[in-house]
Amino acid sequence: MSTFTVLIADDQALLRAGLRRLIDTAPGLTTAGEAGTGQQAVELARDLRPDLVLMDVRMPGLDGIRATELIRADPATAGTRVLMLTTFDLDEYVYGALRAGASGFLLKDTGPGDLLAALRIVGEGQALLAPSVTTRLIAEFARREPAAIPARLAAGLAQVSGREREVLVLVARGLTNPRIAERLGIGEATVKTHVRSLLAKLAAHDRAQLVIAAYEGGVVTAGGRAPSAAVGDLGEGG
């Protein structure tokens, strides 16, 4: 089993201590360090190069979303993945965190077992994007005025094949690889190949970024209509 190192970033010392005990007693996980502010999280991520940062959204000074953006943008820490942790289940935080490059989003009342499982999922290079989070992302896009598609995204979408676009639509709806395979009548290995291709063509680091690219690129609309494939309910997932 791979062991993932975790930097804990939260302004509450008691919570950090509890998380550290939980992580250090879990197989495959170990704490790399602790940060009490967003700025400390950025600096320690650069010094310690952890596999993961468990990042609080609200911290004094530099908040967790901005800290995530800086960590993900720095070539020295671009390989560090961020799992956001917050008491607030609000659209603005979900969108902001994922847009900044976070690989997942959890509430602080998440059970210990689910939190450890989430760390392992993100550590393995997957995005933790539950259907409920996808639904909130869709709601966020529905509130926003349509904007011009960024040139880099438009260029990437121009390289996407018809089948890849169908897969992208279903990823944006929160479906897992097995459910996508079932929906399209193809093998799961083929779905994985299409997802890898989409990640490369759209310069996305995980499925969370593919969801954002799908909506920002107009492949799927917030009103629920997809130009290239039939889709199911917004809350559908694996």
Side-chain angles (χ1 to χ4, degrees):
M1 175 186 291
S2 299
T3 297
F4 300 114
T5 56
V6 184
L7 172 63
I8 302 168
D10 194 287
D11 62 344
Q12 299 180 38
L14 188 60
L15 180 59
R16 291 200 307 272
L19 288 170
R20 182 164 201 145
R21 283 193 297 271
L22 176 66
I23 290 168
D24 285 343
T25 57
L29 297 169
T30 186
T31 302
E34 298 179 27
T37 67
Q39 187 60 46
Q40 288 178 359
V42 173
E43 293 169 358
L44 285 176
R46 189 178 297 117
D47 292 342
L48 302 173
R49 308 290 176 88
D51 298 306
L52 300 161
V53 180
L54 186 58
M55 181 84 76
D56 188 18
V57 168
R58 286 192 169 183
M59 287 185 286
L62 193 71
D63 67 23
I65 293 176
R66 178 58 178 154
T68 297
E69 188 174 14
L70 292 173
I71 289 170
R72 294 295 303 171
D74 187 338
T77 54
T80 295
R81 295 180 178 273
V82 180
L83 180 61
M84 306 299 297
L85 191 63
T86 182
T87 55
F88 301 95
D89 187 16
L90 300 177
D91 296 338
E92 63 182 291
Y93 295 121
V94 174
Y95 178 80
L98 297 178
R99 193 69 184 85
S103 294
F105 189 95
L106 288 177
L107 296 180
K108 286 185 177 179
D109 61 3
T110 298
D114 289 339
L115 187 146
L116 294 174
L119 286 170
R120 294 189 185 99
I121 288 170
V122 173
E124 290 168 357
Q126 303 178 55
L128 188 74
L129 195 61
S132 60
V133 173
T134 304
T135 300
R136 288 195 292 275
L137 271 175
I138 293 168
E140 177 65 22
F141 277 104
R143 286 194 295 270
R144 292 169 178 263
E145 291 294 326
I149 300 174
R152 183 176 179 182
L153 176 56
L157 287 171
Q159 302 176 49
V160 171
S161 70
R163 178 61 90 184
E164 288 170 347
R165 186 172 288 259
E166 291 178 329
V167 171
L168 180 58
V169 167
L170 298 179
V171 167
R173 294 304 188 195
L175 272 68
T176 60
N177 286 350
R179 295 298 297 275
I180 293 172
E182 179 184 354
R183 180 68 65 86
L184 297 179
I186 57 179
E188 188 176 346
T190 302
V191 175
K192 291 179 180 178
T193 298
H194 288 318
V195 170
R196 285 195 295 270
S197 179
L198 285 166
L199 290 170
K201 290 178 179 179
L202 302 182
H205 62 79
D206 57 30
R207 293 171 85 95
Q209 299 298 298
L210 287 181
V211 173
I212 290 174
Y215 284 94
E216 290 190 338
V219 176
V220 181
T221 65
R225 303 183 68 180
S228 303
V231 296
D233 296 335
L234 299 184
E236 185 174 1

